[in-house]
Amino acid sequence: MTWPFVILLILAGLLKIVVTCLPTGVVEWLISKYELHQKLSNETVTVTIDGKHLVGADKIQVINYFNEALYLERYYTSLENSVTPLIIDTTRGKNNVRLFVYIYNDRVDVVKTYKKKVVAYRLRSDNLQKRSFVVTEDLA
């Protein structure tokens, strides 16, 4: 009767040690699976404003500014749509992700759509808030 209890206790202790001491790579992978404001890479991203693509240095600069932005909060209220958004199309694994980036003087609002889900959150990015975008290629 005591041997099964001792073996179960040892297995539970080993499981606790394995779960609490995961390697850094595994922890980063788990965090990135549930990260709301994920980093974008230049190769898999298309940036559009007013139906026209941003290309070259402007596209790279927008992606860098977006990646450097500070996450403020997630919210559940509707957005005011008085501003033309930047539309960022990318992929996350096998899923297509579309980000609508609304830039205001005091904040940046992002609406993320993926897998029939819609999530809205707010960022702070001085560079994006002060930036004027030069559209260089028509969407055709």
Side-chain angles (χ1 to χ4, degrees), residues 67-81:
N67 288 340
E68 294 168 359
L70 298 174
Y71 173 81
L72 293 178
E73 64 182 335
R74 180 177 176 174
Y75 59 93
Y76 302 95
T77 59
S78 63
L79 289 173
E80 48 186 85
N81 291 328

Side-chain angles (χ1 to χ4, degrees), residues 15-83:
L15 181 65
K16 178 188 169 249
I17 290 171
V18 168
V19 169
T20 58
C21 299
L22 290 173
T24 303
V26 174
V27 172
E28 288 174 356
W29 177 77
L30 284 171
I31 290 172
S32 72
K33 292 284 282 179
Y34 299 101
E35 190 175 38
L36 185 60
H37 178 65
Q38 60 185 149
K39 305 297 182 202
L40 303 174
S41 72
N42 186 27
E43 296 82 29
T44 61
V45 172
T46 304
V47 180
T48 309
I49 186 167
D50 278 336
K52 299 178 181 179
H53 287 298
L54 287 177
V55 294
D58 284 332
K59 175 185 168 186
I60 293 169
Q61 202 167 35
V62 168
I63 292 169
N64 289 336
Y65 290 161
F66 184 82
N67 288 340
E68 294 168 359
L70 298 174
Y71 173 81
L72 293 178
E73 64 182 335
R74 180 177 176 174
Y75 59 93
Y76 302 95
T77 59
S78 63
L79 289 173
E80 48 186 85
N81 291 328
S82 61
V83 178

